[in-house]
Amino acid sequence: MSFRFPDEFLWGGATAANQIEGAHNADGKGLSTSDVQPFGSFGELKQRQAGDFNLKDTAIDFYHRYPDDIALFAELGFTCFRLSIAWSRIFPKGDELVPNELGLAYYDKIFDELEKHGIVPLVTLSHYEMPLYLAQQYQGWKSRELIGFFERYARVVFSRYGNRVKQWLTFNEINISLHEPFTGAGIPRGSDSQSLYQGMHHQLVASAKAVKACHELIPDAKIGNMMLGAIQYPLTPDPDDVLAALQENRDWLFFGDVQCRGYYPSYMTRKFKEIGVSLDISEADKEALKETVDFISFSYYMTGCISVNNKSMQMTDEKMLAMGKNPYLETTDWGWQIDPKGLRIVLNFLYDRYQKPLFIVENGLGAVDQVNEQGEIEDDYRIAYLNDHLYQVGEALQDGVEVMGYTSWGPIDLVSASTAQMSKRYGFIYVDRDDNGQGSLARKRKKSFYWYQSVIKSQGENLRAPAES
Ligand code: BG6
């Protein structure tokens, strides 16, 4: 690619506490909602019992191995690392007044280590987990009380880390709760639309309050939202399909609209009426929502199709988000449709809509890797996937879209969120651990490690046009 990404473009990788740290009950940490999801975010919930096996209890042991892992990120050339804070390390139950000092001290060490290597942290306040106690005692975000608990937590971490952390995100994939309410919001599964949207409203208010707190406590920081950016195309030019795709996309854009514009979009008034939802929105809530995010972040893995009348449309075979099949696209081994050009489309689409800087905070290929006889991992498929997506980011930059950076998902193999597997690997760094927890946890550089290192070093100049790759 003759194009060079801007010098200030941030390059890195993204993770979540419950998928890498392990040490699930160390140093005063409380149980989190993730601790009762041993089969992944869409799997059965299981109350903890002594002797139970949960891959995430140890995960990849980042809790203890972070100095070596961060050194590997530095070797890759990362200028940015996205991680989340486990809320239950800071407030083990969630409604306490005083934080757990040992939990706070742990993240001090992480930020020190990143600083040592000149890597900028991008921190998610809540990534698919919250203190389990809040889900059990309050039914999660269904309860308005969570707004105050979350604001307290946010203020504590902003005050503690504000001198070193200048980039923050509020809720990971806030729109996913409409599909799976327990994972991101601790709301009982099977809850009706009224409870779901009320819970989402509480989260949106809490997100805005965190934005306000961040602006007050760390004036030189930036804080963004985070959405799952899975755009839906109409399967055909039939106006019914086009309208259905517009409406489907509004299901996730609704969150962005509130977080970026500071008020509910008018199309939701009709929708709420049609589905019989009547929200409790106070004047104080309306005022709070006016504090909008500084930038928009999103994850990008796939796109889907929508058709109203086409009976022959098939669905992807996927546990998490089954989407309409697109005849022009291939899928990953886990049924996710691979659409690099869709990333350029989403970037342009979001920028046209909001005119705010964008950050791609997740993208990557979950695949089974084989260690060959020489002990190497030749993951050319991952290189091709990432090359093609990053190439489209370059195209979007040339379209004039403001893109702050790119953090690929799981730069080091980690436990998958939806299926709780180790075998669904995303990393440039291999971790010796299998789905049954067997393995030495040793780290090893894959072929893609050297590829991503060279992409970062060349500021994207060595990305190849998809046809050449
Ligand atoms: C995103 C989540 O939905 O997708 C991550 O924010 C997750 O937590 C990632 O790991 C990939 O999904 P999975 O199920 O392959 O781990």
Side-chain angles (χ1 to χ4, degrees), residues 16 19 82 127-128 172-173 226 228 299 301 320 336 362 409 414-419 424 426:
Q19 295 174 258
R82 176 178 175 226
H127 190 130
Y128 276 8
N172 183 64
E173 294 186 342
M226 197 311 198
L228 167 67
S299 60
Y301 294 94
M320 185 167 94
W336 295 13
E362 286 188 34
W409 178 249
L414 39 67
V415 182
S416 115
S418 58
T419 56
K424 189 178 188 190
Y426 286 87

Side-chain angles (χ1 to χ4, degrees), residues 282-296:
S282 67
E283 284 308 311
D285 291 350
K286 285 187 190 159
E287 203 43 45
L289 288 177
K290 288 184 186 159
E291 194 83 18
T292 58
V293 290
D294 303 313
F295 67 96
I296 297 156

Side-chain angles (χ1 to χ4, degrees), residues 89-92 96-104 152 156:
R89 285 199 194 283
I90 312 300
F91 287 99
E96 302 92 331
L97 295 177
V98 180
N100 169 31
E101 176 53 34
L102 288 176
L104 286 167
R152 183 180 305 139
V156 164

Side-chain angles (χ1 to χ4, degrees), residues 23 25-30 63-64 88-89 92 100-103 106 109:
N25 58 4
D27 296 331
K29 177 181 172 294
Y63 195 80
H64 300 107
S88 57
R89 285 199 194 283
N100 169 31
E101 176 53 34
L102 288 176
Y106 165 66
K109 292 188 286 181

